[in-house]
Structures are given as C-alpha cells and as structure tokens.
Amino acid sequence: MTTLSLSERLKIRALSARQSRRRALTRTLSSPFLRWRYGGAATDQILIVPQELRMADPSFWQEYSEGYFGLASHSAALKGASPFRVPPPSPSWARELHGFGWLRHFAATEEEEAFDAARALVLDWIAVQRHPSAIAHEPAVIARRVTSWIAQANMLLEGTDAKTYARIMASLSAQLVALNATWRNAPDGVPRLNCLIALVLSKLAVSGNERNLKEAQCQLVAELSRQILPDGGHASRNASVLADIVLNLLPLGQCFHARGHTPPEEFAATVRRALAFLRFMRMGNGMLARFNGVSVGSPATLATVLGYADDEHTPAEEVEYSGYARLEQGETILIADVGSPPQIELATQAQAGCLSFEMSVGNKMLLVNGGTPGPADEDWLAVSRATASHNTLCLSETSSSRLVRHEKLEAIAGGLPIRGPELAVVRLTREGDSAVLAAGHDGYVKRFGLMHNRRLALSKHGRRLDGIDRLEPPGGRLRLRQGAPFAIHFHLHPDCSARTGDEETGTCLITMRDGLAFAFHATGADLMIEESLFFAESSGPRPGLQIVLRGVTFGETEVRWSIDGRPEGGRGAGEA
C-alpha cells in the first residue's frame, strides 16, 4: 500500500466525512415524509422538448431489428428478448442501456416502426423496475435517462393511448423525485454535474415540476464554478468530458429562453471557456490530444461542438490552470502536459504522462500517447496510465506518478487515483523564429533524487523539433551509488513506420502513410525501435512502433534529440 502523507490522510478523512453527510442527507430526503417536497402537483405533460445535439446513428435501429444491441463497445445478442431481460455484457453497457441515450438513434430513423419499438422498450423498462437494478438507479444513470426521455418526448408520447401516456409520465415523475433526493450521492465530477443539469432541465420542461428551480439553478452554477477552471478546462484535466458538458448546457440555455427566463450568465461564460479550451487541445487531425482520460473520440462530434464557437482566434500557447502548453508553427502542432495531477478525488483517470507531448503535421498524427482504452478493453487501463505509454522519460521502469491504493479512497473516488509529480517552473518563450517550451517535474526526486527537465524548440515553419531531456538533482551535484536505467519514449502513430538509419550517429527514418518522411537523431543514449500499443482505437489496442532512447544515469545525464522534416534521400517536409 502506498504510504500516505499527513495531508493526504486528512484529505481522505474530509472526503469520507463529506460522503457520510451526503448519504445521511439523501436518506433523510428519500424518506416518505420529505419526498413530497419534490413531487409535482400535475406532472402530466412535457412543456418543452430540448434540442438533441448529439449525433445519431440510424443504423442502430437496423442492428436492433436483427437482434443485437451494441453499447459501450459491447454487443448483446437479444434472441428475441428485451435488452432489459438479457444478462448485460458489462457494467458500462448496462449504464448506457438504462441511460436511454440510444433513443436518439431510433428517433433519427423517422420510421413509425422504430418509434413503436422505442415506446415498447420504455414500457418494458418500467415493468422490469418492479425488481429494480442497482445500476438503473444510480443518480447519474437516472439523470441521463430523464434527459433522454424529455429530449425524445415527441417520439415517446405523441399519438400514444392514454394508458401508455400516463404510465410514462408517472414513471418520469417518480424518477425526478428520486433524482432530487439522491443526486448528492453521484460521484464527484461530471456525474454530479450532469445530475444537476438534468434537474434544472426537468424543472423547466416538465409541468408541475417548477418547484425549487432557483435552488437547483444556484446549485448548478456553484458546481460549474467548482469544476470548470478559469481557462475552460475541467478539474479532472480530461478534455473529452467538456464536449459532453457543452452538449448538455446549450439545450438547457434554450429551455430557459423558451420558458421566458433569463439563463444564468455563468452558462454562456462556461460554454465560451470550454469551447476555447477544446480548440486549444485539438490536434491537426481534428481529434483531442490524448492526455488524462481522453479515449476513442469522434472528429465529427468535436466539430459539431466547436461549431457553436463564436470565433476562430488562434489558440493561446498555455492554459495555466489546466496544465497544458501548445506550440504551433506552420502546419505542425505540439501539445504538452505540463501540469500536476488533479485533486485526488478526480484523479482516477489521470495518467502519469508529465512532460509528454503529441505532435501532428498537417492533418496527420506523427507522435501520440497511448490514450485511454475503450470500455471493452479496460484490462489495458493500468498499462495505458503508465509513464512508459507516453512520449516522455521513464526512470528505472517506474512511473513519474504513483497510484494511491487506499480502500476507502477507492470507494469514494470510484477507482485508483494517482498523485504527483509537482512541476517546476514552466516557461514558454521565443528564440529567434522558434517557439520554445521548458519545464520540469519532481516525480523522481524522492526515489532517486533527480529532476526531469525537458526543453522543446519548434522551428519557424514547424519542420524541425529539437529536444533536450536532462536528469539532474534539484540543486548541487549528485552521484548515485548504482546507475539507474532510463528510457525516453516516442510513440509513433500506428500509420507511421520507422527503420534504422545510421546506428553510429543514432539516426532512424520515420515515414508517414502519405510518404512524408522525417529523420530522428539522438545523442547521449542508444536509439532503438521497439513495439508499441495505441489504446485509443475503437477496434481495440492497435500495434505500432516507438523510438526509445535508452541509457543509464549515475546522477546527471543529458540527451539531445531532433525530429527533422528534411531527411536526406526521402520525400521531406522541408522547403523545396
């Protein structure tokens, strides 16, 4: 078990006490004597149907018609049964099933047969809940289901008979009562935020549910202020969750206007900051840089979200609060992780990738981190979080961050959080026509007495990247009794190939799928080409190659390397 500092032990005690208070309040509010506070006087109609901004896939209906139900990278064979009556292939599949986000795929078909099937599935869920599933009644799952039912109210309620209408509305009313009473028990972070968004939406969209709108609105604003950082990033440092938050907030703002209310100013401000941050984290291929939980993504979804941005200003060079830096020269974009892990209760998806970076040239990726595997490949999660799966230095085959193994903390956070390292000074400067980033971290100081300092310089047109990695003590001089092996990893995108060039001068050649070629050169370490895995792929972990610079340090080591788009004898990115 990881040794905890006094401050961490106090933090866990505070989190535990806070959780106990939330549970006690939930039990009180869930009692028959107080549940009336959340019941509507006449919850008999949907007043507003918010716009569904998430992309829909009409082929989902065809898959269902053929007897399969695919969610969360898993598919269940129904064999004529309802999806609510078959064993779920995974908890993530069950959560998506009970969240009903898939209703939008049925609606996208615009076929009456699909609409009838959607209503039948909703009624079957209501019937099954006589013996409720624990997952189905998790607060975050209730919130997703409530939002989905309201957003698809036209499909579910129009033209139905009185009995079906009454059953659906009665179930929705009961779920809103439960969500009002239990949202505080949702895990910290996005799940709790989505619960509050669903509550405010329901108070605007469902008749007889307007009670306590102001209170719910204030709670949501407070949660947005706590979770969305001043630079637009999320407190978890996971950029991908912002798209989901924006897709929930935009329709909510429209519902305020439709009911004649002015939405809180914080809604629009949050959306503006989040969109700016998403632009900052976007690589040349249209995807988000893979740091701290970013997994398989959709360029189309991200483009849809960014379509709501007011402008296309050049992204900033640094987002200080979120801990990322961006170098952009010519067609080359480089984004680096220069931040410490988030607060411990939000660090269950954080990765040990301090000082790692991703690099795109044009609309193609050159260097990528491993990313986070999809729900079907969670066995790879621990490997994907390790420093060795990132484009940075790994000392003595250990990660720069440490997993915090503490039973109570794992229960509160919902997984294994990480801690450390802390960052040294981060500097973004210009030297002539080059953009330069310099940063360092102390993740190896306690174990080895060494800092890792990195300097990256991207040339004027983005055709050359020069790097320096140093291992050195925080101050003075240090001589280790025994040498510590190090490895500096450069994971190539799976579409790239590499072959050894001149071994004596430490050179290899990299070729992208379109034929664009680069020369990689290094001094101060042995250059090797090894196997790699890219985890953020919809089909599962994808094999690739990585360049690894290996050596041994006895206290002070410097490795210099460069990636040059003007290799001799190949089609390069250099000037004609």
Side-chain angles (χ1 to χ4, degrees):
M1 181 178 290
T2 306
T3 302
L4 300 178
S5 66
L6 175 60
S7 63
E8 287 168 337
R9 291 197 296 270
L10 293 174
K11 175 72 170 178
I12 292 171
R13 289 180 184 176
L15 289 172
S16 180
R18 200 178 308 156
Q19 183 185 58
S20 297
R21 288 195 297 270
R22 286 199 304 268
R23 286 178 173 173
L25 181 58
T26 296
R27 284 195 298 270
T28 302
L29 295 176
S30 298
S31 71
F33 301 103
L34 291 177
R35 284 171 70 93
W36 63 269
R37 296 180 67 239
Y38 305 116
T43 308
D44 56 5
Q45 61 179 316
I46 305 295
L47 303 173
I48 305 169
V49 177
Q51 184 180 5
E52 175 60 82
L53 300 179
R54 288 174 175 80
M55 297 186 66
D57 180 9
S59 67
F60 187 91
W61 160 244
Q62 181 64 35
E63 180 184 336
Y64 173 70
S65 300
E66 295 173 359
Y68 295 93
F69 218 80
L71 300 168
S73 301
H74 291 85
S75 184
L78 302 181
K79 298 179 181 179
S82 161
F84 301 107
R85 299 175 188 269
V86 300
S90 73
S92 56
W93 184 92
R95 287 186 174 88
E96 288 205 21
L97 174 69
H98 290 287
F100 280 85
W102 44 267
L103 281 176
R104 69 184 187 276
H105 304 315
F106 283 66
T109 66
E110 298 184 355
E111 296 181 15
E112 194 60 41
E113 186 180 0
F115 295 178
D116 290 341
R119 284 190 287 269
L121 288 172
V122 168
L123 292 173
D124 189 57
W125 182 88
I126 294 171
V128 167
Q129 294 317 298
R130 294 168 185 158
H131 306 285
S133 157
I135 285 179
H137 291 278
E138 292 175 357
V141 176
I142 299 175
R144 185 72 186 100
R145 184 168 59 249
V146 162
T147 302
S148 298
W149 286 20
I150 294 173
Q152 302 304 330
N154 291 337
M155 177 178 66
L156 297 179
L157 299 175
E158 281 188 359
T160 62
D161 59 81
K163 183 177 179 182
T164 296
Y165 191 102
R167 288 183 67 193
I168 293 175
M169 290 306 299
S171 176
L172 180 61
S173 178
Q175 292 176 61
L176 290 175
V177 171
L179 184 60
N180 270 287
T182 64
W183 67 266
R184 295 170 182 82
N185 280 350
D188 198 0
V190 176
R192 196 174 301 163
L193 183 61
N194 284 341
C195 285
L196 286 168
I197 292 175
L199 282 176
V200 175
L201 172 64
S202 70
K203 294 179 185 303
L204 291 167
V206 182
S207 67
N209 201 51
E210 298 88 350
R211 186 183 300 170
N212 303 323
L213 170 61
K214 200 71 175 178
E215 179 185 350
Q217 177 181 316
C218 290
Q219 290 167 335
L220 174 55
V221 167
E223 198 65 24
L224 285 171
S225 300
R226 188 177 73 88
Q227 292 194 31
I228 307 302
L229 303 175
D231 56 26
H234 187 260
S236 67
R237 303 192 67 222
N238 182 344
S240 62
V241 303
L242 286 170
D244 187 60
I245 293 171
V246 169
L247 289 174
N248 285 334
L249 284 178
L250 287 171
L252 184 60
Q254 295 169 355
C255 289
F256 269 91
H257 289 296
R259 291 297 306 274
H261 299 296
T262 301
E265 294 180 2
E266 290 83 357
F267 285 13
T270 296
V271 169
R272 283 195 302 270
R273 297 201 311 271
L275 291 174
F277 184 83
L278 288 171
R279 284 202 303 271
F280 178 95
M281 296 297 292
R282 197 182 193 190
M283 303 298 299
N285 67 342
M287 302 289 282
L288 295 173
R290 282 148 283 257
F291 298 101
N292 296 303
V294 176
S295 184
V296 181
S298 166
T301 298
L302 185 58
T304 298
V305 173
L306 291 178
Y308 290 91
D310 294 331
D311 53 53
E312 288 293 335
H313 293 323
T314 301
E317 290 186 334
E318 181 183 11
V319 281
E320 177 185 356
Y321 295 92
S322 296
Y324 295 103
R326 179 185 177 105
L327 303 181
E328 184 172 359
Q329 300 268 75
E331 289 190 319
T332 301
I333 297 173
L334 182 154
I335 299 179
D337 181 348
V338 292
S340 299
Q343 57 198 56
I344 201 164
E345 64 269 31
L346 295 176
T348 57
Q349 287 189 307
Q351 296 170 321
C354 196
L355 303 191
S356 66
F357 67 95
E358 290 202 334
M359 182 176 176
S360 63
V361 180
N363 62 357
K364 300 289 192 302
M365 293 302 302
L366 178 62
L367 294 173
V368 292
N369 294 314
T372 298
D377 299 291
E378 291 180 344
D379 290 347
W380 289 100
L381 189 57
V383 176
S384 72
R385 298 180 74 188
T387 297
S389 293
H390 295 76
N391 297 315
T392 188
L393 181 146
C394 182
L395 184 57
S396 196
E397 299 183 350
T398 61
S399 289
S400 57
S401 300
R402 303 296 297 274
L403 289 172
V404 182
R405 298 186 180 275
H406 187 281
E407 185 176 352
K408 184 174 290 187
L409 177 60
E410 288 179 48
I412 295 172
L416 275 171
I418 63 172
R419 68 175 189 186
E422 297 297 326
L423 268 290
V425 176
V426 179
R427 296 196 317 276
L428 280 163
T429 59
R430 300 197 71 84
E431 295 182 6
D433 291 329
S434 295
V436 180
L437 166 66
H441 73 75
D442 66 357
Y444 295 117
V445 169
K446 287 186 178 179
R447 286 168 283 175
F448 303 98
L450 296 174
M451 293 281 297
H452 173 209
N453 294 310
R454 166 168 272 186
R455 182 183 187 275
L456 302 173
L458 187 61
S459 66
K460 179 179 180 180
H461 298 293
R463 295 166 184 161
R464 181 181 174 94
L465 175 66
D466 288 287
I468 303 174
D469 284 289
R470 293 191 182 94
L471 287 168
E472 53 194 342
R477 301 183 65 83
L478 175 68
R479 179 72 177 177
L480 299 177
R481 293 182 179 180
Q482 183 177 356
F486 66 84
I488 308 174
H489 298 266
F490 299 88
H491 296 269
L492 302 175
H493 188 274
D495 288 339
C496 298
S497 61
R499 60 183 176 87
T500 304
D502 188 339
E503 294 185 7
E504 291 186 3
T505 59
T507 301
C508 76
L509 299 177
I510 305 169
T511 304
M512 302 178 79
R513 175 178 283 184
D514 62 358
L516 198 65
F518 299 82
F520 188 104
H521 177 75
T523 59
D526 296 328
L527 186 153
M528 301 179 181
I529 298 176
E530 302 178 6
E531 294 180 347
S532 173
L533 279 177
F534 181 61
F535 302 104
E537 190 74 51
S538 58
S539 58
R542 184 179 172 190
L545 297 173
Q546 60 175 316
I547 298 168
V548 186
L549 306 181
R550 295 190 179 276
V552 176
T553 184
F554 285 90
E556 295 184 40
T557 297
E558 177 179 285
V559 179
R560 292 176 176 261
W561 50 268
S562 64
I563 302 174
D564 195 338
R566 293 171 291 179
E568 295 179 3
R571 180 188 160 210
E575 298 169 327

